[in-house]
Amino acid sequence: MKPSNMKPSNEAIVAALRQLVAYTKLEDGQSQSFRTRAYDKAIDAINAAPNDVADMSLSELKAIEGVGDSTARKIIEFVERGSISKIDRLKQRFPPTMLELMKIPGLGPKTVVALQDHLGVVDLAGLRRAIANEQLRTLPGLGKKSEEKIAHSIELLGIHSDETRTPIFDAMRIATRVVNDLSRCDAVSQIAYAGSLRRLSETIGDIDILTTTDDPETVLETFTSLAGVTTIMGSGDTKASIVIDDAIQVDLRVVSDAEFGAALLYFTGSKGHNIELRQRALGRGLTLNEYSLSQIDDGAVVAAATEESIYEALGLPWITPELREGIGELTIAEAGLLPKPVVPKMLRGDLHVHTDWSGDGRSTLDEMLQAVTDRGLEYVAITDHGEDLAMNGLSRERVREQQAAIDAARKRYPLLTVFHGAELNIGPDGTVDYDPEFLEVFEFTVASIHSHFDLDPDAQTARLIAAVENPAVNVIGHPSGRKIGARPAIRFDVEAVAEAAADAGTALEINSHLQRLDLSATNLRTVLGIEGLMFAISTDAHHTSELDNITWGTAQARKGGVPIERVVNSLPIREYMAWMAQKRGRSEG
DNA sequence: GCCGTTTTCGGCCCGACTGTTTTCAGTCG
């Protein structure tokens, strides 16, 4: 590869290190050598790094926990040359197609290397031929059954591979359905989803579900015969794996009630977090597995029923699942420096809500105000689209009509403060709908990007900063414009925008929709240090049911490490109004 | 390959399932 002027992104560096892991597995002939585990840990650390790793010096890289001298040098080599010599060397020995073979479920490095050594098979076509010729069963350790299993796995290829991780929005829908369906089984006592879904990862490999029961057989049988099951990957006494809707693998694990906490902790992960917890346990004469935290010497159970009790026994506060990435959160937690997790009941208002006054809203103004009241909120901003969004937006005349409608509605909801707002549309040049005089009609606005997603980074940054500095704008809605799995984020300098926002008294939105989760957790961590920057956790609800998406917005705030003090819609109404007034006061002065 | 309230060498988390073994290896999470 030729060196390029563009420095590689953290994602590109991680991709290179993942290649390194795969080739090293082949070289070591095992899936878990200490070397590959070390690389894996470095990958986790870089994934979590808020800044560009490509800009770092050797000593800065080595200062990252989990990155040592060897990996740091490989990263620098990749940044400077565009490739890593160890990978180049291993490619000579193992053709890249062998990496594809390792993605087939059931085929690990040992078997893939055996295929090359004994049969000269290095790619999928060769593997298919070998299976057709019944050659696989001649390999040491393999038999007829293994050959058939691998043949079946090839048909399922893709379901398990890295490229087909499912966006969290889709995975959550399936998980919710499976949890609901399985809950109807009388033998099920407790049930919860765990894994990367519970950690609020943006994309999900497998869905992990945990149940407690005293009748595992019935639960497992019910699980493998659920509606939508297209393949049963395996089933034992305590766990089973299925593929549902031909779309995603779902793993079920069954334990007893007394073991629920230990099992939930174990299956929530991440793997790195679990390893650090177990190491910590060992240091205290304890051992941790999916059943309990126990004494090593006599096996006496110390804690098992709840996650809280296990963390406590390890000298730690409970750590919110979204932060369990094995990237130093244990150290921060032990020092008492983790922010108190943001939860929905800490929020007093929702600052981004649509009604059927704009074309895409599906609930009436009254339905929304009633639903907001029912959820115990003290204030809400009705933010239907501005006129620039041709399909959905409100003309000036309609804005005036809505103002009257909201005035009338306020009498019906005396306990609720209703702001007549708008979701303005940020044009390619950073200007918004209407004109400055007319914008004074609104008591509050959120401004968002809905088009021109492919401008160059400088233009996008300037565009967002112009909106941030607009005196009529209070919040920037879904700042990156991404839709997970469907549309990439716009390219922009999030730090520059956030600094401008802090200066201007404009908040950045944490959009709660599972397709958005925008700002991303990575972006949040990047801008968290900017003094005075505030966030608004908003639902962007287009229907009353979507007000419950606040669950995900708060989870995203937790994942980004945002403390509640930085969330404007947690403020009591008077303080919140003072925050809004400060913006207008500042712009006039 | 990483790392240091046992440390710069010698350790490194834990268990289920499957198929091939008759006590275990490979794979997976």
Side-chain angles (χ1 to χ4, degrees):
Chain A
M1 191 188 293
K2 272 183 75 90
S4 109
N5 294 326
M6 276 270 285
K7 69 179 184 193
S9 63
N10 286 5
E11 289 75 22
I13 292 167
V14 163
L17 291 176
R18 284 197 208 286
Q19 274 207 330
L20 181 63
V21 170
Y23 281 114
T24 306
K25 283 179 180 176
L26 290 173
E27 185 185 29
D28 292 345
Q30 51 182 324
S31 52
Q32 280 203 5
S33 70
F34 292 118
R35 275 196 299 168
T36 58
R37 276 166 51 179
Y39 291 146
D40 276 334
K41 206 171 174 210
I43 286 170
D44 287 344
I46 292 163
N47 264 329
N51 302 313
D52 278 341
V53 167
D55 292 333
M56 294 187 185
S57 67
L58 181 66
S59 57
E60 284 170 331
L61 285 167
K62 284 164 71 174
I64 301 174
E65 189 176 335
V67 178
D69 187 68
S70 169
T71 305
R73 287 179 192 282
K74 287 181 175 70
I75 291 170
I76 285 176
E77 194 187 359
F78 182 72
V79 171
E80 288 175 353
R81 292 184 39 239
S83 71
I84 297 171
S85 50
K86 178 172 174 181
I87 294 181
D88 297 340
R89 193 183 78 240
L90 288 172
K91 272 184 185 168
Q92 303 301 314
R93 206 168 127 203
F94 306 114
T97 49
M98 288 176 74
L99 300 192
E100 302 303 313
L101 294 184
M102 268 210 296
K103 289 178 185 166
I104 298 169
L107 273 191
K110 266 245 157 66
T111 314
V112 169
V113 171
L115 285 171
Q116 183 189 33
D117 287 350
H118 292 89
L119 301 174
V121 167
V122 293
D123 58 21
L124 190 57
L127 181 61
R128 285 207 165 101
R129 277 195 302 274
I131 290 170
N133 296 335
E134 300 187 345
Q135 287 175 301
L136 254 57
R137 60 186 69 180
T138 67
L139 293 180
L142 265 62
K144 184 163 176 283
K145 273 203 160 173
S146 300
E147 189 175 85
E148 286 166 357
K149 207 177 165 186
I150 290 165
H152 183 59
S153 289
I154 293 174
E155 290 170 31
L156 297 173
L157 197 61
I159 287 170
H160 211 81
S161 70
D162 294 346
E163 286 77 11
T164 59
R165 290 182 67 87
T166 305
I168 187 170
F169 177 75
D170 301 312
M172 190 66 80
R173 240 186 346 207
I174 292 174
T176 305
R177 184 180 106 204
V178 171
V179 167
N180 286 341
D181 287 355
L182 201 53
S183 303
R184 294 206 202 101
C185 172
D186 290 337
V188 169
S189 173
Q190 303 186 72
I191 183 163
Y193 62 82
S196 54
L197 205 54
R198 186 162 178 247
R199 301 200 311 275
L200 205 79
S201 299
E202 294 171 359
T203 61
I204 308 298
D206 302 335
I207 295 171
D208 294 300
I209 293 178
L210 174 67
T211 65
T212 65
T213 181
D214 41 24
D215 182 6
E217 196 182 337
T218 301
V219 173
L220 286 163
E221 200 178 301
T222 306
F223 176 68
T224 52
S225 53
L226 283 177
V229 173
T230 44
T231 308
I232 299 172
M233 308 280 290
S235 182
D237 294 338
T238 64
K239 66 190 226 183
S241 296
I242 60 171
V243 174
I244 203 153
D245 297 351
D246 273 327
I248 189 165
Q249 184 176 329
V250 186
D251 297 337
L252 177 74
R253 186 61 186 266
V254 179
V255 297
S256 74
D257 265 318
E259 298 161 339
F260 185 67
L264 187 59
L265 184 60
Y266 178 91
F267 288 104
T268 298
S270 66
K271 193 171 154 187
H273 184 82
N274 285 350
I275 288 174
E276 288 183 24
L277 282 180
R278 290 189 204 119
Q279 284 169 340
R280 192 177 173 86
L282 285 178
R284 296 168 175 239
L286 304 170
T287 176
L288 177 64
N289 59 24
E290 60 259 60
Y291 304 110
S292 68
L293 178 71
S294 312
Q295 300 283 354
I296 291 179
D297 43 18
D298 60 2
V301 173
V302 173
T306 66
E307 287 187 340
E308 287 83 351
S309 65
I310 294 169
Y311 280 108
E312 193 186 347
L314 293 172
L316 293 167
W318 180 78
I319 297 175
T320 191
E322 297 84 8
L323 291 177
R324 299 181 194 168
E325 295 299 333
I327 50 172
E329 66 273 10
L330 260 55
T331 313
I332 299 170
E334 185 172 27
L337 296 175
L338 283 184
K340 191 173 174 183
V342 173
V343 295
K345 68 170 193 288
M346 293 176 177
L347 303 181
R348 299 169 190 257
D350 193 332
L351 298 173
H352 191 167
V353 169
H354 294 271
T355 71
D356 62 3
W357 280 74
S358 44
D360 57 355
R362 303 190 310 282
S363 295
T364 65
L365 175 61
D366 267 273
E367 285 167 347
M368 274 297 182
L369 296 182
Q370 186 60 53
V372 165
T373 305
D374 292 345
R375 284 163 176 77
L377 293 182
E378 297 167 28
Y379 51 96
V380 63
I382 299 300
T383 54
D384 283 313
H385 288 289
E387 65 181 356
D388 286 357
L389 213 59
M391 296 294 289
N392 297 327
L394 271 66
S395 66
R396 295 168 194 228
E397 189 183 358
R398 290 278 289 161
V399 169
R400 293 289 190 185
E401 288 172 25
Q402 190 184 38
Q403 186 181 32
I406 287 176
D407 271 342
R410 282 178 176 131
K411 298 188 177 68
R412 297 193 290 276
Y413 302 91
L415 298 179
L416 190 66
T417 301
V418 184
F419 298 112
H420 179 212
E423 181 177 12
L424 303 173
N425 186 58
I426 305 173
D429 57 355
T431 58
V432 298
D433 317 54
Y434 311 111
D435 51 69
E437 293 71 36
F438 189 84
L439 284 172
E440 289 181 16
V441 169
F442 299 110
E443 296 163 296
F444 168 93
T445 73
V446 50
S448 319
I449 285 176
H450 296 105
S451 64
H452 299 86
F453 297 106
D454 54 359
L455 301 183
D456 70 63
D458 288 345
Q460 296 288 33
T461 303
R463 177 189 190 187
L464 281 167
I465 289 177
V468 157
E469 292 175 344
N470 187 321
V473 172
N474 300 104
V475 176
I476 301 297
H478 41 77
S480 85
R482 71 167 179 177
K483 289 201 165 173
I484 297 167
R487 183 171 69 211
I490 59 166
R491 295 169 297 150
F492 72 114
D493 183 341
V494 69
E495 282 182 277
V497 171
E499 274 164 18
D503 287 345
T506 306
L508 299 183
E509 184 175 87
I510 299 174
N511 190 288
S512 301
H513 200 287
L514 280 179
Q515 282 179 312
R516 293 193 181 272
L517 296 177
D518 186 3
L519 290 171
S520 71
T522 307
N523 280 340
L524 288 171
R525 284 193 292 263
T526 303
V527 300
L528 209 50
I530 296 172
E531 197 179 340
L533 179 66
M534 296 295 280
F535 303 96
I537 307 176
S538 303
T539 61
D540 195 1
H542 287 67
H543 183 269
T544 54
S545 64
E546 291 178 358
L547 291 169
D548 295 327
N549 284 345
I550 199 67
T551 306
W552 315 127
T554 50
Q556 179 73 353
R558 296 194 294 271
K559 196 166 189 66
V562 177
I564 192 68
E565 296 76 26
R566 305 288 286 277
V567 180
V568 284
N569 53 314
S570 74
L571 296 172
I573 181 66
R574 298 181 76 89
E575 290 174 42
Y576 172 71
M577 289 177 78
W579 175 78
M580 279 203 304
Q582 183 197 13
K583 163 106 192 196
R584 306 223 164 180
R586 194 184 320 212
S587 58
E588 282 156 17

